Amino acid sequence: MTAPQPLDDVIALLGAAAVERDPAALAAAGRDRSEGPIGAPEAVIRVCNLHDLRAVVGLAARAGAPLIPRIAGTNLSFPARGGWVIDLASMNRIVDLDERNRVAVLEPGVTFGQLGEVLAERRTGLTIGEPLAPSDTSIVATCLLDGQGSLSLRHGAMGEWLTGLEVVRADATLLRTGAWAAGAPPFARAPLPDLTGLFLSMQGSTGLVSKAAVRLWLAPAHHDRLFLFFFDRHDALRALGELARLDLLEDAGALFWPATRMLLGAERPADRDPAEPEVIAYCELGACDRDLLAAERSVLDRQLARLRRAGARFDGPIAAGDLAQVDPGLAKLARAPTRLDFLVRPGAAVTWISAYGPADTVGAACDAGIAVLADHGFPPLIVARPMRGGAGLLRFIEVFDAAADGERARVLACNQALCDVLRERGFVMYRMPGWAVDRYRAHLDPGFVRLIGEVKQLLDPGALLNPARWSLA
Ligand SMILES: Cc1cc2nc3c(=O)[nH]c(=O)nc-3n(C[C@H](O)[C@H](O)[C@H](O)COP(=O)(O)OP(=O)(O)OC[C@H]3O[C@@H](n4cnc5c(N)ncnc54)[C@H](O)[C@@H]3O)c2cc1C
């Protein structure tokens, strides 16, 4: 008779259908969209509710099995071998939609598409800022990873939108943060000690979030989305920075020419036609009232005229409704939310380095990143966006064939070089994979490193929670 295996207890608890051990399925679960090392998990466990999540964490703690949380699986890191992938996609209840206090309490599997539909159906007049990611990505994961969305110019990185968390700790006990911890509705993180930060950007290595309270924002009743076609990226980046400083725009972004070409159907754009704009930028105005929107538009027009007088070369502004006349293929950009789902294609992997940095080095960081991409044989597939308080986001994207010989190594080398040149120019990566944490190690403040180690030791002494993340030992 063979000894009972820890997974037998999980099967007894959840049923065999919730525990995937088929080798092909495990091989698929060991991959995300990135260049990162492929994992070899022992099982994928589908969890649908808090009770089951806590029970599985308890069983994993007894068995010493590492846990890797996932929802859409765009950004995972695995231990060298083994581990249980906790699939939280079915734990997707919108637990509360508090319209008066403008807070949604969400389970980790709730996606941007799902909440967006509910907010629209109920005519709440509220919105959640959307990332450029496909609609099946998790709101909770994106906030926990300090992601960036369409309202980040107004409201900062998405981690700041969290007003409280419910967390399953490594010993399967629960805790709540923010005003929630005082028995109040989760309306804000202040004024208690802000323990939410212990779980932010820690990538699941300090606790598994079972519910997050997320701020909702008033959706302006009137919008104007305008497009500018720039022939020099420096003009585009400078213009976006200056427009952002007016405190006028709801959102703004720049898509470099390879992204536009891919939107129009090209698979791997290589060379730019000199007549083609280098960058298409969009600016979103929004107001509660038509007259206010018209006033905002005239301020924007004056600023654009000023930029032109100062030498910036661009065509436009072209209104969203007229974009299809430039090229029918561009019509997708006219609709909000903007999504880059056209970069995700069957048979092609897509990965990226995203970093936040100070506004005054965006141009230099962008130039350095373009040189790195070119050295590694990639076109400048780049997204740039201004953020609240003068910060900027740069995202360098590579589309590649993950199965081809040497491709993962080429992409990894490129991303490592990008990581370095961006860091040297004051940019900091978000959602750092393990290899990037290793590269940052020598540059991190020693007190910060020590405290991260102590926090992880306190919250996860058995190193079970997503152990390949923030491993600074
Ligand atoms: C084309 C494209 C465009 C994108 N554009 C943007 C963008 O504009 N802005 C942006 O921010 N991102 C963007 N992304 C990235 C993507 O949205 C993120 O990787 C996303 O934040 C992760 O969501 P996911 O559902 O895939 O999470 P997963 O990959 O399944 O999980 C990601 C990680 O989140 C953590 N995590 C997940 N659940 C929990 C939990 N319950 N408790 C604790 N930790 C947890 C873990 O570290 C886990 O490894 C883009 C992706 C693509 C493919």
Side-chain angles (χ1 to χ4, degrees), residues 67-69 75-77 140-147 158-160 162 165 167-168 177 189 194-209 429-434 437 444 447-461 463-473:
L67 293 172
I68 303 115
N75 179 244
L76 306 176
S77 285
V140 173
T142 306
C143 290
L144 287 175
L145 297 172
D146 254 330
M158 291 173 80
E160 298 178 52
L162 291 167
L165 297 177
V167 185
V168 179
T177 69
R189 269 150 72 173
D194 189 8
L195 298 189
T196 302
L198 292 173
F199 307 97
L200 256 185
S201 274
M202 288 302 297
Q203 307 183 349
S205 67
T206 45
L208 297 183
V209 171
M429 268 178 78
Y430 74 94
R431 294 180 319 132
M432 273 190 214
V437 171
L444 292 172
F448 173 87
V449 172
R450 181 171 159 218
L451 188 57
I452 291 253
E454 288 169 356
V455 166
K456 285 188 61 166
Q457 176 62 27
L458 175 72
L459 294 179
D460 182 22
L464 297 178
L465 299 176
N466 229 4
R469 301 290 198 168
W470 277 110
S471 175
L472 284 166

Side-chain angles (χ1 to χ4, degrees), residues 81-427:
R81 285 208 67 74
W84 298 352
V85 172
I86 302 287
D87 180 347
L88 297 165
S90 308
M91 195 169 162
N92 63 352
R93 281 182 317 134
I94 298 173
V95 179
D96 189 26
L97 199 54
D98 181 347
E99 294 182 36
R100 284 174 62 84
N101 293 309
R102 293 190 226 147
V103 170
V105 177
L106 309 174
E107 288 188 333
V110 176
T111 65
F112 284 97
Q114 182 186 348
L115 183 66
E117 273 177 28
V118 172
L119 292 173
E121 264 167 28
R122 293 199 194 169
R123 296 175 187 276
T124 56
L126 299 172
T127 182
I128 175 129
E130 303 262 357
L132 299 170
S135 62
D136 66 348
T137 39
S138 156
I139 296 174
V140 173
T142 306
C143 290
L144 287 175
L145 297 172
D146 254 330
Q148 195 259 5
S150 55
L151 294 178
S152 291
L153 178 55
R154 284 240 170 272
H155 304 300
M158 291 173 80
E160 298 178 52
W161 308 2
L162 291 167
T163 57
L165 297 177
E166 178 190 84
V167 185
V168 179
R169 293 185 55 176
D171 60 3
T173 59
L174 267 190
L175 92 139
R176 285 181 169 181
T177 69
W180 229 354
F187 64 90
R189 269 150 72 173
L192 294 186
D194 189 8
L195 298 189
T196 302
L198 292 173
F199 307 97
L200 256 185
S201 274
M202 288 302 297
Q203 307 183 349
S205 67
T206 45
L208 297 183
V209 171
S210 47
K211 290 187 192 73
V214 185
R215 174 77 62 220
L216 299 172
W217 311 99
L218 290 174
H222 303 280
H223 292 269
D224 212 352
R225 181 175 269 231
L226 300 160
F227 291 84
L228 304 166
F229 295 74
F230 286 91
F231 295 88
D232 179 328
R233 63 177 177 275
H234 300 103
D235 284 347
L237 295 174
R238 226 178 356 255
L240 279 188
E242 291 194 19
L243 294 175
R245 278 162 53 150
L246 290 180
D247 200 17
L248 182 72
L249 304 178
E250 294 290 305
D251 187 18
L255 299 181
F256 282 53
W257 64 268
T260 317
R261 285 266 203 94
M262 289 185 73
L263 172 66
L264 298 177
E267 292 221 342
R268 306 278 167 96
D271 296 309
R272 176 176 160 231
D273 176 342
E276 179 180 18
E278 186 174 10
V279 172
I280 297 185
Y282 59 91
C283 299
E284 182 101 16
L285 295 169
C288 58
D289 160 289
R290 275 187 206 288
D291 292 343
L292 184 56
L293 187 68
E296 288 182 354
R297 175 63 200 266
S298 62
V299 176
L300 179 64
D301 285 342
R302 274 208 305 276
Q303 188 68 13
L304 292 177
R306 205 187 60 73
L307 286 167
R308 265 202 180 99
R309 283 197 302 279
R313 247 175 10 110
F314 60 91
D315 289 345
I318 292 180
D322 298 333
L323 200 58
Q325 286 167 22
V326 179
D327 189 315
L330 294 179
K332 178 179 164 57
L333 293 181
R335 291 185 294 274
T338 312
R339 298 205 192 282
L340 297 186
D341 42 9
F342 56 88
L343 300 180
V344 181
R345 298 183 175 186
V350 56
T351 189
W352 56 86
I353 292 287
S354 296
Y356 299 155
D360 63 344
T361 57
V362 169
C366 187
D367 287 348
I370 288 176
V372 169
L373 287 171
D375 280 351
H376 292 82
F378 291 105
L381 180 47
I382 297 169
V383 176
R385 280 172 119 176
M387 293 182 69
R388 190 183 64 189
L393 160 100
L394 284 173
R395 180 175 303 138
F396 298 85
I397 306 167
E398 300 107 347
V399 177
F400 65 106
D401 178 358
D405 273 355
E407 274 296 80
R408 277 180 176 270
R410 176 170 74 114
V411 174
L412 181 60
C414 182
N415 282 348
Q416 288 177 335
L418 282 169
C419 170
D420 293 348
V421 298
L422 292 172
R423 186 187 48 68
E424 286 157 11
R425 285 156 185 83
F427 272 67

